[in-house]
Amino acid sequence: AGDEAGGGSSHASKRYPGCTAAVALVWGDMLYVANAGDCRTVLCRDYPTSAHAALSVDHAAQTNAEERERIATQGGILRQHIGGGSGGSGEWRVGETGLAVTRALGDADVRGDGVTPDPEVTETALTPGDEYFIMACDGLWDVVSNEEAVAMIKDTVKEPSMCAKRLGSEAMTRMSGDNITVVVAYLKDVSTAEVVTWERAF
């Protein structure tokens, strides 16, 4: 999954655009996730109960205090843009150009402010109960929570592309204001046949 790294400013003519990215690798019974930016990967750990876990953190200046501290420690510029954020306090942005993320590929003009392409990598031991994972950029996660995404897939025919389209369509219905990229990957063979119980039908 990937997304264009954003953040408008009057210095737009000096921008060297970049993008965020997330990559997943299943190797044996391990799942490795590398993330740079505000993409997110969510693993469904138990289908019947909808238990799930986020396998990455969002590298967004507004929501990630640890990343803001890293930027500040490296001498980077951090500013709150008036008019964004709750309570009128403004949204945290990085550098003169006002980048919204703290990690991205490209964005050479804010490297001096601590923005790095180095991803955070997590490794997760898979269990028999692990069903699938969702990888998506912030165009989905800005308007759909982890819990809602898992619930929607539970109520969708178990075919990866159909699940991804369901989530993407929901994000558009909720008027997401950003790019929307969604990938759903199943970790085991599943039947696309739906069993409709009397209770579910009525």
Side-chain angles (χ1 to χ4, degrees):
D3 184 26
E4 182 179 352
S9 108
S10 60
H11 298 266
S13 61
K14 301 179 181 179
R15 292 285 290 116
Y16 295 86
C19 68
T20 65
V23 178
L25 171 67
V26 177
W27 190 266
D29 61 354
M30 298 296 295
L31 172 58
Y32 300 90
V33 172
N35 181 58
D38 51 8
C39 295
R40 189 185 308 162
T41 301
V42 176
L43 172 67
C44 177
R45 305 232 65 169
D46 183 68
Y47 182 77
T49 65
S50 297
H52 59 277
L55 303 186
S56 62
V57 297
D58 301 349
H59 301 132
Q62 175 66 13
T63 59
N64 194 321
E66 290 185 3
E67 283 291 285
R68 289 201 303 271
E69 183 178 355
R70 180 181 65 78
I71 294 292
T73 299
Q74 296 181 18
I77 297 174
L78 279 168
R79 293 179 175 173
Q80 281 188 295
H81 284 215
I82 303 302
S86 59
S89 60
E91 291 188 0
W92 285 104
R93 297 296 180 98
V94 182
E96 293 287 349
T97 54
L99 195 67
V101 295
T102 58
R103 300 187 188 221
L105 308 182
D107 291 299
D109 52 320
V110 285
R111 290 289 180 83
D113 290 299
V115 175
T116 175
D118 295 339
E120 283 191 312
V121 180
T122 63
E123 53 183 75
T124 303
L126 297 173
T127 68
D130 295 331
E131 188 86 8
Y132 62 85
F133 61 87
I134 307 164
M135 302 183 74
C137 64
D138 61 331
L140 174 71
W141 303 120
D142 283 348
V143 293
V144 176
S145 69
N146 298 354
E147 293 77 12
E148 289 175 320
V150 170
M152 288 178 202
I153 289 183
K154 191 171 185 178
D155 195 37
T156 304
V157 174
K158 306 306 175 283
E159 197 281 321
S161 65
M162 291 187 68
C163 292
K165 289 176 182 176
R166 169 76 188 280
L167 294 176
S169 296
E170 183 65 25
M172 288 189 288
T173 298
R174 298 188 184 191
M175 305 297 291
S176 173
D178 213 327
N179 300 335
I180 303 168
T181 303
V182 184
V183 175
V184 176
Y186 277 84
L187 296 166
K188 59 179 71 174
D189 292 332
V190 293
S191 173
T192 58
E194 288 290 277
V195 177
V196 180
T197 64
W198 182 266
E199 291 82 1
R200 182 172 175 182
F202 298 97

